[in-house]
Amino acid sequence: MKPVAIVFDLFGTLLDIASLRTAAARYTSDPAAFVGTWREKQLGYAFAATIMDRYEDFDALTARALAYAAARHGLSATDRDWERLAAQWRRLAPYADAPAALTALRAAGAACAILTNGTPATAHAALRAANLADAIDVTLSVDAVRVYKPDPRVYASVTAHFGAPAERIVFVTANGWDATGAAEFGLRVVWCNRTQAPAETFGAAPACVIGGLDELSAAVAKLAD
Amino acid sequence: MKPVAIVFDLFGTLLDIASLRTAAARYTSDPAAFVGTWREKQLGYAFAATIMDRYEDFDALTARALAYAAARHGLSATDRDWERLAAQWRRLAPYADAPAALTALRAAGAACAILTNGTPATAHAALRAANLADAIDVTLSVDAVRVYKPDPRVYASVTAHFGAPAERIVFVTANGWDATGAAEFGLRVVWCNRTQAPAETFGAAPACVIGGLDELSAAVAKLAD
């Protein structure tokens, strides 16, 4: 059955978090480790904020996680530098396979959307900077429901927006815990497993696993059969 | 004001998770990395289970996380081996400073308790194996409320058990996110920062930070002033 929409996670799926390393290299000799801590803490705070029912938006948590990662890795910089570094989330590089994947889906008539932990402002800016904005019909943010993925209320905002049952929505994510959460909710999940990570062993399995977005059109066609 | 009880986190606070490396060394040449992944995934699944409202007990999540970590690090073993390895959570070594800290608190007349993500069966077995069981008055598990730390309902089970307001309970943990969650709830938190990690930058700050449990008696006396 043809999907009503193809919904993408943004950070780590269409946009490459590792591209932060270029800007981070100005402040640390090990930008990969620093960016790893930053991302891990950003997600850890998003999980904690949801469990503790103490929402702050993703821009705020990103800045908090940056301060933690800077302390952990011994970076020193000015407030202005930290602001500049945090603003790099609005200028992440797209994965090389992202533009063509979106173009192919749209040529096939699919509606394409974003479901992101990010704030609407940061998500929109990042999509524009990556030249992907024109390929996206709508950007949905957790900010509307004030809890983070993998809370089912986040995935429910997609079915509510499209007025469609969960099984008519394809959700594409590179994050294993996001794939699990969306699959638990009932979305048809394509896990873009770029790093050949092991399958998650808790929660529902994705409908399909691909190695990169170049495999997405074929995967979506198969799911629609 | 004298606290009604001193409540300890178990794994990583009284018991040393790194002691799993000895048993793990039979299956991998890098037991530290393997145990690191195992613990990280165990907590990740606990957070996900809470956010997704899909509780499974900590023994089940520990086994799932073990399967993931084994796949990630390329370990191969029999089902019997995995069971034996997972059972090591019931035989973790206590930190060298744990027994004396508990003895000193009890000599001062304090009630000592455990609040753990672990199942009651595993927590009790681990306390007995570590020779700490006699020093503990009561062991409270998240299993009673079916959500994991840092959900406020977990910390509320402590105030409910002791029939005391949160500010009369001292909570001791080595886990930063646990310290934050308990402090948000209102417990008087002692963060045992064994690794000199940076302070968490999200959520309420602990009442006090110590470098090891040898500093605990003095810290509790000061909080009671």
Side-chain angles (χ1 to χ4, degrees):
Chain A
M1 195 156 56
K2 197 173 143 58
V4 169
I6 318 294
V7 182
F8 292 84
D9 170 58
L10 186 56
F11 302 128
T13 300
L14 294 177
L15 304 181
D16 186 0
I17 294 167
S19 65
L20 291 167
R21 294 175 190 172
T22 309
R26 195 167 149 184
Y27 307 101
T28 170
S29 59
D30 192 350
F34 167 75
V35 169
T37 300
W38 189 6
R39 169 63 167 169
E40 188 188 322
K41 207 64 185 174
Q42 178 199 52
L43 288 178
Y45 286 163
F47 296 151
T50 304
I51 296 174
M52 289 158 57
D53 196 17
R54 189 184 178 291
Y55 181 79
E56 289 184 11
D57 77 29
F58 211 52
D59 292 342
L61 295 185
T62 298
R64 291 184 184 281
L66 171 57
Y68 180 95
R72 165 85 84 86
H73 294 271
L75 275 65
S76 92
T78 66
D79 285 354
R80 184 73 194 87
D81 288 325
W82 297 141
E83 282 167 30
R84 201 178 291 135
L85 203 45
Q88 293 299 318
W89 284 85
R90 300 185 171 207
R91 284 184 276 285
L92 294 174
Y95 281 103
D97 54 13
L102 288 169
T103 302
L105 287 171
R106 291 180 64 87
C112 292
I114 298 290
L115 178 67
T116 179
N117 270 346
T119 60
T122 292
H124 286 129
L127 285 166
R128 278 195 304 273
N131 264 320
L132 299 178
D134 290 348
I136 300 297
D137 296 290
V138 63
T139 296
L140 305 172
S141 162
V142 303
D143 205 49
V145 289
R146 297 177 64 84
V147 289
Y148 285 97
K149 301 178 185 177
D151 191 296
R153 286 167 284 183
V154 174
Y155 304 110
S157 68
V158 175
T159 50
H161 176 85
F162 287 103
E167 64 269 22
R168 298 291 305 279
I169 308 281
V170 172
F171 181 65
V172 186
T173 181
N175 296 301
W177 49 270
D178 192 15
T180 303
E184 279 287 329
F185 180 76
L187 300 180
R188 306 208 71 184
V189 174
V190 178
W191 178 31
C192 182
N193 184 10
R194 296 183 185 280
T195 61
Q196 300 188 290
E200 298 294 338
T201 57
F202 171 75
C208 143
V209 185
I210 58 178
L213 295 178
D214 53 322
E215 300 169 33
L216 182 58
S217 274
V220 169
K222 204 164 171 190
L223 286 179
D225 273 353
Chain B
M1 195 157 53
K2 195 173 143 58
V4 168
I6 318 295
V7 181
F8 292 84
D9 170 58
L10 187 57
F11 302 128
T13 300
L14 294 177
L15 304 181
D16 185 0
I17 294 167
S19 66
L20 291 168
R21 294 175 190 172
T22 309
R26 196 168 148 184
Y27 307 102
T28 171
S29 60
D30 193 349
F34 166 74
V35 169
T37 301
W38 189 5
R39 169 64 167 169
E40 189 189 320
K41 207 64 184 175
Q42 177 200 52
L43 288 178
Y45 286 163
F47 297 150
T50 303
I51 296 173
M52 289 157 58
D53 197 17
R54 187 184 180 290
Y55 181 78
E56 288 184 12
D57 78 29
F58 212 52
D59 292 341
L61 296 186
T62 299
R64 291 184 184 281
L66 172 58
Y68 181 95
R72 164 86 84 85
H73 294 271
L75 276 65
S76 93
T78 65
D79 285 354
R80 184 74 194 87
D81 289 324
W82 298 141
E83 281 167 30
R84 200 177 292 135
L85 203 46
Q88 294 298 318
W89 284 85
R90 300 185 171 207
R91 284 183 275 285
L92 294 173
Y95 280 103
D97 55 13
L102 288 169
T103 302
L105 287 171
R106 290 180 64 86
C112 292
I114 299 290
L115 178 67
T116 178
N117 270 346
T119 61
T122 292
H124 286 130
L127 285 166
R128 278 195 305 273
N131 265 320
L132 299 177
D134 290 347
I136 300 298
D137 296 291
V138 61
T139 297
L140 304 172
S141 162
V142 303
D143 205 50
V145 289
R146 298 176 64 84
V147 290
Y148 285 96
K149 301 176 185 178
D151 191 296
R153 287 168 284 184
V154 174
Y155 305 109
S157 68
V158 175
T159 50
H161 175 84
F162 287 103
E167 64 269 21
R168 296 291 304 279
I169 308 281
V170 172
F171 181 65
V172 185
T173 181
N175 296 301
W177 48 271
D178 192 14
T180 304
E184 279 287 328
F185 180 76
L187 301 180
R188 306 207 71 184
V189 174
V190 178
W191 178 31
C192 181
N193 184 9
R194 294 182 185 281
T195 61
Q196 300 187 289
E200 297 294 337
T201 57
F202 171 75
C208 142
V209 185
I210 58 178
L213 295 178
D214 53 321
E215 300 169 34
L216 182 58
S217 273
V220 169
K222 205 165 173 189
L223 286 180
D225 273 353

